[in-house]
Amino acid sequence: MSSSPTFKDKDEDLEAQVPLNPQPSNPTVRTEQEVSGTTKLLYLAVYFLCNISLTIYNKLILGKFSYPWLLTALHAGSASIGCYILLLQGRFTLTKLSLQQNIVLFLFSILFTVNIATSNVSLAMVSIPFHQIMRSTCPFFAVLIYRFRYGRSYPRDTYLSLIPLILGVGLATYGDYYFTAAGFLLTFLGVILAVVKTVATNRIMTGALALSPLETLLRMSPLACAQALVCAIASGELAGFKEQNPEGPSGALILTLAGNGLLAFCLNYSSFSTNKVAGAVTMTVCGNIKQCLTILLGIVLFGVKVGFLNGLGMVIALAGAAWYSVVELRSKTQKGGR
């Protein structure tokens, strides 16, 4: 167990190398093509468990904490603290990065913040059902980015499986569709930014940098926390929070926020780890499944009533997700047999 951060050199592009023997020089860097289906399912199960736990916690315990930027700063700050504690315990080491690589990570943190800002602003200009159906197209754009930016090919059934996945979420979230022209453009931009962020996260962990999920989270979180605090000050959230709590937050609120931060750290770590082993496209597919599970949770736990089309949409979306999983497993099996 080490008591101070240690560094390791990272100069080469591990993905670009063609090894002369079957033993890779860095066996810890594994892309989604090299990870077994069982491992992926385990990571996905933990990811969904953390996601659902945080959703229920926010609904039942946190309540209406109407300070999204402060909450984002709490989540990023909690991730920073959690990662640093694990770093001091020797659970991972820091990579020695060049100035250019540090700039890349700084730009990545800005992408993270701008993505949240775009989503928050667009929500004021469009209805929630419209926002959800636009977000459901993320898997399609993720596939396009990998297809045209990285030259990755996909079986025809992969494209076909995305159709029921996207249309199903559209039906599941069917409601009052309203949007302004500016709202549509901002929501569309938010979709692109969300996909780029997911792909960039994966590339940071599997590309030239090949950082571990914990190191990626540690390097990004303090920057994102600082940027969220600046946005909280600029938007008046911090002043509003102080006005609502003139004598400071109560002990109960502090404990509630601490629990939220802990769950958020677990979710972020799980999200980054799952992204690395399952891939960015699968993560966007999970985003669609999450929308259906959130509706289902609302029905079971909070008595939310949905119409026939909404229920049918959930079934169609989950069937599309199952189809996508089968196609991915079949494709992996075929590649492994070659």
Side-chain angles (χ1 to χ4, degrees):
M1 181 179 296
S2 63
S3 58
S4 61
T6 56
F7 293 84
K8 56 181 179 178
D9 292 325
K10 184 73 65 177
D11 302 312
E12 70 277 12
D13 184 345
L14 291 172
E15 281 195 337
Q17 293 179 353
V18 180
L20 300 177
N21 56 70
Q23 296 298 324
S25 60
N26 189 348
T28 63
V29 182
R30 305 175 66 195
T31 61
E32 62 264 30
Q33 290 88 355
E34 301 171 306
V35 179
S36 69
T38 303
T39 301
K40 286 185 181 181
L41 287 175
L42 179 60
Y43 274 83
L44 289 168
V46 174
Y47 168 71
F48 276 118
L49 178 62
C50 292
N51 218 317
I52 292 172
S53 297
L54 186 61
T55 300
I56 295 175
Y57 187 98
N58 287 345
K59 181 70 176 179
L60 293 179
I61 301 177
L62 191 59
K64 295 183 178 179
F65 187 80
S66 54
Y67 304 99
W69 282 117
L70 289 177
L71 195 60
T72 300
L74 171 68
H75 290 176
S78 299
S80 302
I81 295 171
C83 289
Y84 192 70
I85 291 174
L86 294 178
L87 176 65
L88 293 178
Q89 293 178 344
R91 301 297 180 88
F92 66 102
T93 57
L94 289 178
T95 304
K96 187 176 181 180
L97 301 180
S98 66
L99 175 61
Q100 182 180 6
Q101 290 170 328
N102 277 301
I103 291 175
V104 168
L105 290 174
F106 176 70
L107 294 176
F108 173 66
S109 72
I110 293 179
L111 172 63
F112 179 86
T113 305
V114 171
N115 175 54
I116 296 174
T118 304
S119 179
N120 289 341
V121 173
S122 65
L123 273 171
M125 301 180 181
V126 302
S127 63
I128 292 179
F130 179 78
H131 189 269
Q132 290 174 317
I133 195 172
M134 287 289 288
R135 285 279 175 164
S136 71
T137 61
C138 284
F140 171 75
F141 289 106
V143 167
L144 287 185
I145 288 176
Y146 273 108
R147 179 69 182 87
F148 294 105
R149 173 64 180 85
Y150 299 107
R152 182 181 297 184
S153 60
Y154 292 91
R156 183 186 62 179
D157 284 354
T158 296
Y159 298 99
L160 294 177
S161 68
L162 297 181
I163 296 175
L165 183 68
I166 295 173
L167 291 181
V169 172
L171 286 175
T173 60
Y174 176 76
D176 181 22
Y177 293 132
Y178 165 79
F179 60 91
T180 63
F184 172 81
L185 291 176
L186 274 176
T187 305
F188 180 73
L189 176 61
V191 170
I192 301 301
L193 289 174
V195 174
V196 171
K197 183 197 74 170
T198 305
V199 173
T201 302
N202 179 269
R203 296 298 300 175
I204 286 173
M205 295 184 291
T206 63
L209 285 173
L211 302 183
S212 69
L214 281 173
E215 183 177 2
T216 305
L217 196 55
L218 176 62
R219 290 185 179 275
M220 185 274 294
S221 296
L223 298 171
C225 179
Q227 293 160 16
L229 283 176
V230 170
C231 292
I233 295 172
S235 64
E237 274 191 21
L238 186 59
F241 180 77
K242 288 181 178 179
E243 183 179 348
Q244 189 176 4
N245 302 272
E247 298 181 359
S250 64
L253 179 58
I254 292 176
L255 287 176
T256 300
L257 292 176
N260 184 272
L262 178 60
L263 276 175
F265 166 63
C266 294
L267 174 59
N268 279 318
Y269 178 36
S270 173
S271 174
F272 277 54
S273 300
T274 305
N275 191 329
K276 181 176 181 178
V277 302
V281 175
T282 298
M283 290 301 292
T284 60
V285 170
C286 288
N288 282 20
I289 299 174
K290 178 195 168 185
Q291 291 200 52
C292 294
L293 290 180
T294 301
I295 297 172
L296 188 60
L297 276 175
I299 296 172
V300 175
L301 298 179
F302 308 112
V304 176
K305 297 185 182 299
V306 298
F308 172 76
L309 285 178
N310 303 120
L312 179 62
M314 285 189 285
V315 173
I316 293 175
L318 293 176
W323 186 7
Y324 170 85
S325 300
V326 171
V327 171
E328 186 192 49
L329 182 60
R330 185 171 61 212
S331 175
K332 177 179 173 60
T333 302
Q334 291 173 348
K335 288 179 181 178
R338 291 175 184 173

